[in-house]
Amino acid sequence: MGSLDQILVYPLQQLPFFLITIVIAFTVHEFAHAYFANKFGDPTARLLGRMTLNPAVHFDLFGIILLLIAGFGWARPVPVNRDNFRRPRLMGVIVSAAGPISNLLLGILGALIYAILVGTGTMDSIKNEQVLRALIWFFGMFIHFNFFLFVFNLIPLPPLDGYRIVEDIAPRPIRGRLQQYEQYTVFLFLLIIFIPGLRAYTIEPLSYWATRTGNDFFQLFLKMFGV
């Protein structure tokens, strides 16, 4: 068990709550892309069975394993054919933004539910320490991870949603240049992820923002109970 704790991002006893978190976060994220793409006239994802809340359809095994051991991973991206949209650029932006926004809403919802449990005294009434600890771990991970996914996915580098948003907004000449250098910017993205020195100035500040924002929402909702 000790060797596994050294390999995994989270201790083994916290791993189930992290897995539940990523199952919900990734599934809702990809479903949001598929739902709005279909709503705007592109049935590609729906016809491929991707417009669903079934986690098995969206998960990439290698991406999840890498997430558990390296702190970075991915789900299977939803295929989108912008040519099917009546207004490809505008609707493309909305479809790309739908995934991160779904995580923002999940983070807010998690903070609200946790505040209700704390504000109503439900947490204090739990006498079983293991159950209490499990709830604290789960809500802490769920709130943080969803806020982090929201801001992380808005980074304007491929393969993230932020890049697709910039690509749709940019004028045609600039969009062509972006596509021309896309393979190199993917490499830059990987450097940011895996080089500790770069992570300290890119990913870690985003993680700090996610923690602070989650706590701000939690404290805001607690005020409803006079806590």
Side-chain angles (χ1 to χ4, degrees):
M1 183 176 295
S3 59
L4 277 177
D5 279 341
Q6 294 175 355
I7 295 174
L8 300 172
V9 172
Y10 286 99
L12 198 58
Q13 58 183 342
Q14 297 181 20
L15 189 59
F17 311 108
F18 181 60
L19 287 172
I20 294 171
T21 292
I22 62 175
V23 163
I24 298 173
F26 280 1
T27 300
V28 173
H29 181 108
E30 297 303 329
F31 171 80
H33 286 314
Y35 174 82
F36 280 97
N38 184 71
K39 186 176 180 64
F40 292 147
D42 175 29
T44 305
R46 176 174 58 81
L47 294 175
L48 292 173
R50 298 296 306 279
M51 199 175 78
T52 175
L53 290 173
N54 178 5
V57 173
H58 300 295
F59 269 44
D60 180 284
L61 180 59
F62 181 71
I64 299 304
I65 292 174
L66 195 60
L67 179 65
L68 295 177
I69 64 177
F72 165 72
W74 55 84
R76 292 175 58 207
V78 164
V80 176
N81 185 353
R82 284 166 167 74
D83 292 336
N84 289 324
F85 296 153
R86 183 167 54 86
R87 300 177 65 183
R89 294 177 67 179
L90 173 61
M91 294 177 176
V93 168
I94 296 173
V95 169
S96 295
I101 290 174
S102 73
N103 293 122
L104 173 64
L105 296 177
L106 283 175
I108 294 173
L109 179 62
L112 174 61
I113 294 173
Y114 191 34
I116 290 173
L117 293 176
V118 173
T120 58
T122 302
M123 295 292 286
D124 291 334
S125 68
I126 299 175
K127 304 305 179 183
N128 188 311
E129 290 188 8
Q130 290 184 327
V131 173
L132 183 62
R133 190 182 304 117
L135 287 172
I136 293 172
W137 281 343
F138 170 70
F139 280 105
M141 291 179 187
F142 186 85
I143 295 168
H144 174 269
F145 190 70
N146 275 289
F147 277 113
F148 178 76
L149 272 186
F150 163 69
V151 66
F152 176 77
N153 273 287
L154 292 178
I155 295 176
L157 289 174
L160 300 176
D161 297 317
Y163 174 78
R164 300 303 167 195
I165 293 173
V166 171
E167 192 178 38
D168 282 322
I169 292 175
R172 188 179 298 276
I174 297 178
R175 191 158 63 248
R177 285 292 185 89
L178 289 173
Q179 293 170 349
Q180 181 181 355
Y181 294 106
E182 187 171 319
Q183 57 181 329
Y184 303 107
T185 50
V186 169
F187 181 67
L188 174 62
F189 171 74
L190 292 175
L191 289 178
I192 290 174
I193 292 296
F194 290 109
I195 296 181
L198 293 177
R199 284 178 63 100
Y201 294 98
T202 54
I203 305 303
E204 291 181 16
L206 298 183
S207 181
Y208 171 76
W209 177 89
T211 299
R212 187 187 63 189
T213 304
N215 185 64
D216 287 345
F217 272 102
F218 174 67
Q219 295 297 332
L220 176 65
F221 293 136
L222 270 185
K223 291 181 180 179
M224 297 188 305
F225 302 95
V227 178

